[in-house]
Amino acid sequence: MNDIPTPDSIGLSREDLPNSYIGRSVPRPNVPKLVQGRATYTDDVVLPRMVHAAFLRSPHAHARIVSVDATAAMQVPGVVRVFTGQDLAKVCDPWVAVLAHLKGMKSAPQHPLPLDRATWQGEPIVAVVADSRAAAEDGVAALRVEFDPLPAQVDMETALAPGATVIHTELGDNLVFQRTAVQGDVDAAFAAAHKVVEATFVTGRHTGVTLEPRSIIADYNRADGTLTVHQSTQAPHMMQNVFAKQLRMEESQVRVICKDVGGSFGIKVHVYPDEVAVAAMSRILGRPVKFVADRFEAFASDIHARDHRIKGRIAVDADGKILGFDIDDLTGIGPYSVYPRTSAIEGNQVVNLCGGPYDFANYRCTTTVVLQNKVPTCQYRAVGHPIATAVTEGLVDLAAQAIGMDPIEMRRRNLVRDDAYPFTSPAGMKFEGLSHHASLKKLLEMVPVERIRADQAEARARGVHRGLGIAAFIELTNPSPFMYGIGGARISAQDGATVRMDPDGSVVVASGVTEQGQGTEAILAQIVAHGVGVPVGKVRVITGDTQATPYGGGTWACRGAGIGGEAALQSAIALKEQLLTVAGTMLQANPASLDIVLGEVVDKATGAQRISLSEIGRIVYFRGDTLPKDLPREFVQTRHFITKEYPFAFTNGIQACWVEVDVATGMVKVLEHWCVEDCGRVINPLLVDEQVRGGIVQGLGGALYEHCVYDDQGNLLTTTMADYLVPMAAEMPEIHVGHVETPTRESLLGAKGAGEAGTAGAPGALMNAINDALRPLGGIVTAQPFTPASILRALGTI
Amino acid sequence: MSARVDITLTVNGERVTRSVEARRHLIDFLRLDLGLTGSHAGCEHGVCGACTVRVDGEIVRGCLVLAASLDGAEVTTIEGLTDTGEVADLQDAFVARNAAQCGFCSPGMVMAAADILRHHPGASREEIREHLSGNYCRCTGYQAIVDAVEQTLKSRQEAAR
Amino acid sequence: MVRMKWPAIGYVRATSLEDLWTAQAAHGGSAQVLAGGQTLLATLAFRLSDPKVLIDITRIAALRGIGAQGGVLRIGALTRHAELGRDPLVRQHAPLLAEAVPLIAHPAIRNRGTIGGSLAYADPAAELPACVVALGATIVLASARGERRVAAEDFFTGLLQTALEPGEIIAAVELPSATAATRCAIVEVARRSGDYAMAGLAACLSLDAAGTVAAPRLVFFGVGSGPVLAAKAGAALAGRVLDHAAIGAAQMALAEDLDPPADMHGPPEMKRHLARVLTQRALGRFLPASEIAA
């Protein structure tokens, strides 16, 4: 296992081994079209007879729909048809988002458009279809919909209290899910501890703000009974199943095509009622219907996430040894659990991940997941990780402070040893191999801690307050069916790749994982080029089409490289074997004595060129008559991969953040940021590094700026990009990325996920940095986002 | 009244005459009337920068310009800018540095970066960041983009010596 | 819920003031003037405004141009922010405006937005309204009835409200030229570069050779319903030698000048606090080197 020759492993420079693409910074072949404006996003697709949908969305957080009068709307020029919930229910079934392995979980049936009640402000209520989006919006403006406002359950803290508004009376209460994990004797450990420190943390409600909004075109063809869906999505096969099931069709009648996607981050892996409505309307109209969410709709209907209040305690002994964590997490998820992944996963992840990097004996963590009348929440980049990391690392820093220990030393004493694996965490997570201490060591090589501490002291003397914060983290990647499949969701944890060689010696790989901009197609090309032995420019990649690719799960939970990449590698190796078998026959040589280098079959011992792949292609495809009759010549090979030994391939890393807090204004300037992460085998450092940086910026954005703010009536106040603040270039720091590589032994490739590490650790590191800066002034912040107002409050200024 | 207005303008060097709805913004005009889909509508309220194009030589937010007001104007989009080769080196640097991930911001980002090349050839990293601060990118950490612009500025300075 | 595509509107292009008066007469109160459009068109997207007709004035030559004559700098209403930022006359006669430009949004917005548009919209957190009040500018208004002049501090009358009467537009802004004794500064606290400020201050005063303050005008933005001329703070400074004590007195006096509303960024007390901080930061720049070291 893991014996792929890389330049490093055989002591060669990358230039000496042109055939090895694993670990090389190969530029992405997709980028030229992106920077020249020649990509194809869903909104760029125009179909004959296409009409456009717009939705009337609920102005109330909770209201009964009394009546819908479409008379005036139907008179608006260009308007084709108006659809209500009842209209769509005739062709479309509701769904309930629960997973069987999340014991006791409950949620209510959700229709594409509600039949009688609006349950969040922004919920799609009535659809208008017209010959242009503008005309459809005019039609929406002309609708007369009467609502009878109902009391809204907005605050998650009161969702289970007596007197709460029960959002779905048939459920009995607003409790969706509750789980407690217990290990050891928490009460005894805390009672006997040298120090116990506690704090309450709040993580603000966020949303993904993909620059390309959710986009879909559904095209039902009555003539052949097929539904073709062009969609900006992470999971084409999952959506194929969803559309078929809800619209009472066969899966084979549905094709989902996904070309370029303008960012997803988990936002585009869920079932949205407005998108299912579009499919249902196309089913009824028998013509293509396009819907592209505008920015208001994105804020009011894309899933939100991270709306948690966490009370945490940590117990330590006099030597700084962590004795236990005791954590209580509460999260509000909106009025429905989101289909099909459910909205209980984020809280469940908090339970799985708190304390994750550390070796300690006693653990108790409860998550309570409740309903409320806000936008539904669900999985968003690094699901639960930034919450668990901020809580864990916030508590570790507070404990270090309480016993007067340096925070780095505190971590050195408690991080799980690098030789302790396999290791099962108190939360029950199984780690195959992590590198916390090697990562910390690497981080300390990158971060000039002594210089920083000297600068900090000198600056403090001038009244300038700077702080350094660190945060270790673990990240769950390469999920097995234990994530969704065992709960009954038809979400594939397996993925496949088909690799073929065409007559000209070029190679095509079709994969079930998808490209969202992270570079999936680039690494698949690298892996296949490496596996077959061709120049990377000779590999073309097909993704994002349920009709053209092997069945797979798509892009989520950091699985593209680790799962899809391994399937591609295995199928590439199978193709290579097949090519060498044929070449051996042609050359009357033992296939084992041959190799393929840069598209040429060579003698393994001497490197002498024997025959080109294009010549083999010519002979096999056009002069097969010249070859022995029984020679197998399958230049198309398909392999699938699924992890089997571990439910998840955990990764780890550690981040450091260096900030300056303007204590007069409360403004935080991030001066510099570092991240060391171990995603196993790094396939393309260029892609991994900038993806880690992007993740860090998303984490910093969430911790400093981003917040879906509601008033106490459930009205969303942040509905524009002038109100929901995202991180921009001017405020973001220079970010240094380092790697430790601990390949997983579950696959030949050894790759784990890298997409969420940045987001997982950045908020915790930033929080600790701010608190390090504020420490001499006696202030502490634990509620994100860390706004100027929150910092001025912490300092007692206001 | 949803009036139509006749306009004749130059788009990417070609003369274009259309009758446009008065309410149509420049980006919808480019995308829907001319099929120039390189310019993107990211927020349609002037914040995200995905719709950055040139009007009469200067960058603007295409979503905050009325197409009807552009009679006689000269508009350059990412497609036209690419065709002229004016920023081929910058685009190459974006590729080499992986300064684009999902690419939805990239056309606007390149238009804004091209503005730095024209007007601020000596810009520092900080000034590059400031100049691009109206263009939202969710995928990269901005650093690769800043690197690509900085590299292009340096290469041009060296070539000019 | 709001919608994004602009509502159905008409469009009229005026190429002269006469054209404009004619169009206004034809469409009356349902027409709205379109200059740079950087605010107006965003409000259309939010359907916050609902004009029936937009009258495009950007081709009216009479509203363009920057000139200095007789100690007065005249800036045409159609002057774009980017032009304001690079104009040598502005830099010489009203450097505060040049200093303010980089704080306004982003380059692509500054290439389009106009000073007239910014003043007419009167956003309470915008930089230029505060600057023109601080500079003691005169706003030149034009209508079919002729021209009239309004002192900048009388022009802003409330939240998004101005002295503009129906049918009237801003033609130009006139400013007294800066002298050797003039000291001006603009400072603000914004969440991100280019954002509207949580609080800002445009400050102008004269300092004589002895360091005595004359004609102080501290104008805050983002802390009220429009630009707020802090009269008490000004009085606390006038006639005094500018030193830390004088700045402290001005900060104290702000309590009576400001009555900020809460907003998404924080409570009124935060804005009051930030106003005091900004007062220190703006006026601190004018201190003699000996005072700064102190």
Side-chain angles (χ1 to χ4, degrees):
Chain A
M1 287 293 208
N2 287 303
D3 54 355
I4 318 173
T6 65
D8 282 347
S9 72
I10 55 178
L12 292 173
S13 75
R14 292 195 165 119
E15 289 64 35
D16 291 333
L17 193 62
N19 209 39
S20 173
Y21 288 102
I22 308 295
R24 292 182 78 188
S25 288
V26 180
R28 278 175 65 203
N30 309 43
V31 176
K33 74 174 177 186
L34 303 178
V35 298
Q36 294 178 23
R38 300 302 302 272
T40 307
Y41 301 96
T42 299
D43 192 28
D44 300 337
V45 176
V46 174
L47 300 176
R49 294 183 69 228
M50 189 168 77
V51 286
H52 301 260
F55 294 88
L56 182 133
R57 293 178 182 273
S58 173
H60 305 289
H62 196 189
R64 200 166 59 80
I65 303 164
V66 178
S67 63
V68 176
D69 178 358
T71 316
M74 286 302 297
Q75 299 307 310
V76 170
V79 169
V80 171
R81 187 102 168 241
V82 173
F83 292 92
T84 64
Q86 279 79 8
D87 297 330
L88 299 188
K90 289 171 191 156
V91 301
C92 184
D93 293 326
W95 53 86
V96 179
V98 294
L99 290 167
H101 66 297
L102 300 179
K103 298 213 167 28
M105 184 182 181
K106 59 185 195 270
S107 184
Q110 186 176 16
H111 288 263
L113 299 176
L115 303 182
D116 53 14
R117 208 157 45 91
T119 52
W120 83 86
Q121 191 199 49
E123 182 176 11
I125 306 295
V126 182
V128 176
V129 171
D131 61 7
S132 73
R133 169 72 186 215
E137 290 192 11
D138 292 345
V140 168
L143 285 169
R144 301 273 175 275
V145 179
E146 190 188 336
F147 290 97
D148 175 18
L150 299 168
Q153 181 61 44
V154 178
D155 184 0
M156 63 186 180
E157 295 279 0
T158 60
L160 302 178
T165 297
V166 175
I167 295 174
H168 303 288
T169 50
E170 69 272 28
L171 299 180
D173 59 27
N174 292 323
L175 181 65
V176 174
F177 177 65
Q178 191 164 45
R179 178 191 156 208
T180 301
V182 181
Q183 177 70 37
D185 188 340
V186 173
D187 292 330
F190 275 73
H194 171 65
K195 283 276 184 197
V196 171
V197 182
E198 63 179 67
T200 297
F201 300 87
V202 174
T203 52
R205 215 173 222 266
H206 298 165
T207 186
V209 199
T210 60
L211 188 50
E212 178 207 32
R214 292 186 295 107
S215 312
I216 184 171
I217 304 166
D219 182 9
Y220 182 73
N221 183 333
R222 281 201 192 105
D224 61 12
T226 60
L227 177 71
T228 303
V229 180
H230 299 258
Q231 191 182 18
S232 182
T233 179
Q234 297 170 233
H237 283 105
M238 183 194 92
M239 291 309 305
Q240 175 191 33
N241 168 259
V242 167
F243 289 125
K245 185 169 167 234
Q246 302 315 131
L247 295 173
R248 303 162 199 158
M249 298 173 69
E250 298 295 324
E251 259 184 61
S252 58
Q253 295 173 304
V254 179
R255 176 183 183 188
V256 177
I257 299 171
C258 171
K259 293 187 176 172
D260 292 304
V261 174
S264 49
F265 318 108
I267 298 302
K268 296 173 181 170
V269 75
H270 308 297
V271 172
Y272 288 93
D274 48 19
E275 296 183 33
V276 178
V278 167
M281 292 188 289
S282 177
R283 177 82 176 78
I284 294 169
L285 292 169
R287 61 195 288 193
V289 180
K290 178 187 272 191
F291 167 67
V292 177
D294 65 31
R295 194 50 61 185
F296 288 128
E297 293 182 295
F299 282 118
S301 67
D302 287 6
I303 58 108
H304 291 181
R306 312 224 210 290
D307 195 3
H308 290 241
R309 183 276 294 142
I310 314 97
K311 293 178 181 166
R313 296 197 298 155
I314 184 172
V316 294
D317 72 14
D319 295 328
K321 169 75 188 150
I322 297 171
L323 303 174
F325 286 95
D326 183 13
I327 289 165
D328 177 60
D329 171 57
L330 173 67
T331 178
I333 60 153
Y336 296 98
S337 168
V338 174
Y339 193 67
R341 283 157 201 270
T342 83
S343 307
I345 292 288
E346 191 180 66
N348 200 49
Q349 293 279 66
V350 172
V351 177
N352 288 340
L353 298 170
C354 276
Y358 296 106
D359 187 357
F360 61 96
N362 305 288
Y363 184 60
R364 180 166 57 207
C365 184
T366 298
T367 187
T368 304
V369 181
V370 301
L371 297 175
Q372 57 185 174
N373 293 112
K374 294 184 181 178
V375 171
T377 74
C378 203
Q379 279 73 296
Y380 164 51
R381 192 177 198 173
V383 188
H385 292 71
I387 301 163
T389 304
V391 169
T392 303
E393 291 297 79
L395 289 171
V396 168
D397 259 23
L398 288 175
Q401 186 188 352
I403 61 170
M405 184 174 283
D406 179 81
I408 294 170
E409 179 57 27
M410 182 83 181
R411 284 170 176 83
R412 198 176 274 133
R413 290 187 184 198
N414 287 285
L415 288 167
V416 177
R417 293 193 331 272
D418 288 359
D419 61 1
Y421 301 96
F423 182 92
T424 300
S425 76
M429 297 295 103
K430 293 180 170 55
F431 304 143
E432 179 200 10
L434 301 178
S435 61
H436 288 296
H437 289 271
S439 296
L440 174 61
K441 183 166 175 289
K442 174 104 186 174
L443 184 80
L444 295 176
E445 288 164 17
M446 293 163 60
V447 181
V449 176
E450 275 185 27
R451 179 174 68 66
I452 281 176
R453 289 298 182 200
D455 175 89
Q456 182 179 38
E458 182 273 330
R460 269 180 194 161
R462 288 185 285 122
V464 173
H465 293 269
R466 296 185 179 148
L468 179 68
I470 59 176
F473 60 91
I474 56 171
E475 186 203 337
L476 176 161
T477 79
N478 291 3
S480 72
F482 278 84
M483 189 130 185
Y484 297 114
I486 59 165
R490 291 175 71 93
I491 298 170
S492 176
Q494 173 181 288
D495 232 290
T498 295
V499 176
R500 75 165 195 261
M501 192 190 82
D502 284 346
D504 65 350
S506 68
V507 175
V508 178
V509 52
S511 170
V513 293
T514 53
E515 173 71 86
Q516 323 283 306
Q518 75 277 54
T520 299
E521 294 192 356
I523 62 150
L524 289 174
Q526 283 178 263
I527 290 166
V528 168
H530 180 104
V532 178
V534 295
V536 70
K538 285 277 191 186
V539 182
R540 282 168 293 147
V541 183
I542 298 168
T543 65
D545 184 346
T546 55
Q547 195 157 293
T549 67
Y551 201 93
T555 296
W556 48 274
C558 276
R559 62 187 298 281
I563 308 291
E566 180 68 9
L569 180 63
Q570 295 294 350
S571 50
I573 289 170
L575 176 62
K576 181 178 188 174
E577 279 173 14
Q578 189 61 190
L579 288 165
L580 289 177
T581 300
V582 172
T585 301
M586 288 177 181
L587 301 169
Q588 299 191 327
N590 178 357
S593 72
L594 302 173
D595 197 3
I596 305 175
V597 175
L598 291 177
E600 300 281 342
V601 174
V602 300
D603 186 274
K604 212 182 239 173
T606 65
Q609 289 190 5
R610 300 295 305 275
I611 187 172
S612 69
L613 292 184
S614 59
E615 180 60 8
I616 294 176
R618 184 190 68 79
I619 294 167
V620 166
Y621 284 103
F622 307 120
R623 292 303 309 274
D625 57 306
T626 64
L627 296 170
K629 283 197 177 68
D630 58 349
L631 178 71
R633 51 195 87 172
E634 299 301 329
F635 288 176
V636 182
Q637 294 289 333
T638 298
R639 294 292 183 275
H640 288 82
F641 180 69
I642 187 167
T643 55
K644 301 183 185 81
E645 301 294 324
Y646 285 86
F648 313 103
F650 274 91
T651 71
N652 67 280
I654 187 162
Q655 297 190 23
C657 186
W658 174 228
V659 303
E660 181 172 312
V661 181
D662 182 338
V663 296
T665 62
M667 293 285 290
V668 174
K669 168 83 182 155
V670 183
L671 301 170
E672 215 164 344
H673 197 100
W674 298 264
C675 175
V676 173
E677 65 95 56
D678 182 349
C679 62
R681 180 93 64 215
V682 174
I683 298 164
N684 186 328
L686 185 69
L687 306 193
V688 170
D689 287 2
E690 198 61 22
Q691 203 183 130
V692 169
R693 290 194 186 97
I696 287 168
V697 164
Q698 210 158 356
L700 295 176
L704 283 175
Y705 306 115
E706 301 182 36
H707 200 191
C708 300
V709 180
Y710 280 87
D711 70 12
D712 56 11
Q713 302 300 304
N715 297 304
L716 180 61
L717 304 179
T718 47
T719 58
T720 76
M721 289 187 70
D723 302 311
Y724 185 94
L725 307 182
V726 291
M728 304 297 277
E731 288 74 29
M732 288 299 108
E734 299 290 324
I735 299 168
H736 313 278
V737 181
H739 301 282
V740 171
E741 293 192 42
T742 310
T744 171
R745 287 180 290 276
E746 281 230 51
S747 68
L748 186 58
L749 187 62
K752 305 185 244 186
E756 303 178 311
T759 309
L766 174 73
M767 177 179 72
N768 285 348
I770 293 171
N771 288 331
D772 187 47
L774 299 185
R775 192 160 292 123
L777 304 171
I780 178 168
V781 289
T782 54
Q784 301 176 35
F786 306 116
T787 62
S790 74
I791 285 168
L792 292 173
R793 276 195 198 100
L795 291 171
T797 308
I798 59 170
Chain B
M1 185 170 79
S2 185
R4 297 189 83 86
V5 179
D6 294 334
I7 53 171
T8 295
L9 66 163
T10 304
V11 178
N12 297 331
E14 291 174 22
R15 210 161 74 118
V16 170
T17 298
R18 290 288 188 285
S19 172
V20 297
E21 249 193 307
R23 64 157 139 180
R24 183 154 279 193
H25 58 57
L26 174 55
I27 293 307
D28 274 354
F29 173 69
L30 292 170
R31 292 179 56 85
L32 303 176
D33 293 287
L34 304 185
L36 291 165
T37 53
S39 304
H40 298 144
C43 74
E44 291 192 89
H45 54 270
V47 185
C48 78
C51 63
T52 306
V53 295
R54 278 187 198 158
V55 172
D56 296 330
E58 300 296 339
I59 55 168
V60 303
R61 304 274 206 231
C63 74
L64 293 185
V65 176
L66 212 60
S69 72
L70 292 178
D71 187 56
E74 197 173 304
V75 174
T76 306
T77 70
I78 187 66
E79 291 93 340
L81 189 72
T82 302
D83 287 348
T84 65
E86 179 189 320
V87 292
D89 54 349
L90 176 71
Q91 289 165 319
D92 288 347
F94 266 65
V95 175
R97 195 57 195 79
N98 190 35
Q101 286 184 29
C102 83
F104 205 77
C105 75
S106 302
M109 197 66 84
V110 169
M111 296 299 300
D115 201 54
I116 302 177
L117 299 180
R118 291 172 89 198
H119 294 309
H120 310 281
S124 65
R125 280 182 81 81
E126 209 165 304
E127 288 163 340
I128 294 168
R129 283 184 179 276
E130 177 61 33
H131 202 89
L132 297 177
S133 68
N135 289 72
Y136 170 55
C137 168
R138 188 54 136 175
C139 302
T140 73
Y142 294 107
Q143 194 160 321
I145 296 169
V146 177
D147 289 347
V149 177
E150 187 184 40
Q151 179 58 50
T152 308
L153 288 172
K154 274 189 187 150
S155 303
R156 287 192 179 192
Q157 279 165 8
E158 279 160 22
R161 268 186 211 138
Chain C
M1 295 289 284
V2 278
R3 308 243 43 107
M4 207 96 231
K5 294 294 176 195
W6 297 343
I9 40 173
Y11 173 84
V12 177
R13 188 180 299 134
T15 54
S16 67
L17 287 171
E18 290 65 39
D19 260 11
L20 172 58
W21 313 143
T22 306
Q24 283 186 331
H27 297 287
S30 64
Q32 195 155 349
V33 164
L34 173 70
Q38 300 305 279
T39 304
L40 173 59
L41 297 178
T43 65
L44 280 189
F46 304 158
R47 297 207 175 180
L48 286 175
S49 57
D50 190 21
K52 295 289 167 274
V53 178
L54 296 180
I55 306 176
D56 182 352
I57 62 168
T58 54
R59 297 174 195 231
I60 301 179
L63 302 176
R64 296 202 160 277
I66 298 173
Q69 207 174 11
V72 173
L73 180 73
R74 183 184 164 102
I75 301 171
L78 288 177
T79 302
R80 305 207 191 265
H81 304 324
E83 294 168 331
L84 202 61
R86 61 175 176 253
D87 187 273
L89 289 175
V90 171
R91 211 160 269 283
Q92 183 189 343
H93 296 285
L96 180 69
L97 293 177
E99 191 186 336
V101 166
L103 302 177
I104 305 169
H106 306 284
I109 301 274
R110 298 200 287 266
N111 283 337
R112 202 81 191 158
T114 65
I115 187 170
S118 175
L119 301 184
Y121 190 69
D123 191 294
E127 289 84 1
L128 292 181
C131 287
V132 298
V133 175
L135 290 168
T138 301
I139 315 294
V140 182
L141 308 179
S143 68
R145 303 177 293 280
E147 240 182 41
R148 67 183 179 114
R149 284 171 156 68
V150 178
E153 60 195 86
D154 299 328
F155 177 75
F156 301 99
T157 55
L159 184 65
L160 307 179
Q161 298 296 312
T162 68
L164 278 168
E165 286 172 6
E168 210 167 31
I169 61 159
I170 298 177
V173 180
E174 291 179 351
L175 307 145
S177 290
T179 68
T182 306
R183 300 287 181 277
C184 289
I186 179 164
V187 287
E188 65 177 40
V189 184
R191 296 289 297 279
R192 303 170 307 172
S193 173
D195 283 352
Y196 276 123
M198 291 190 289
L201 166 61
C204 280
L205 50 81
S206 290
L207 280 187
D208 67 15
T212 307
V213 176
R217 293 173 75 83
L218 306 189
V219 183
F220 290 88
F221 51 102
V223 301
S225 58
V228 181
L229 177 60
K232 302 280 185 195
L237 289 169
R240 273 183 81 156
V241 170
L242 188 68
D243 55 16
H244 287 298
I247 294 173
Q251 288 176 306
M252 290 280 287
L254 286 178
E256 291 179 66
D257 285 322
L258 303 181
D259 183 19
D263 65 15
M264 296 265 282
H265 300 298
E269 57 267 34
M270 180 178 79
K271 292 190 176 264
R272 288 179 186 280
H273 166 74
L274 292 177
R276 289 191 294 271
V277 172
L278 292 170
T279 301
Q280 167 63 42
R281 290 185 178 178
L283 299 182
R285 290 203 212 163
F286 310 147
L287 290 171
S290 57
E291 274 282 325
I292 292 173

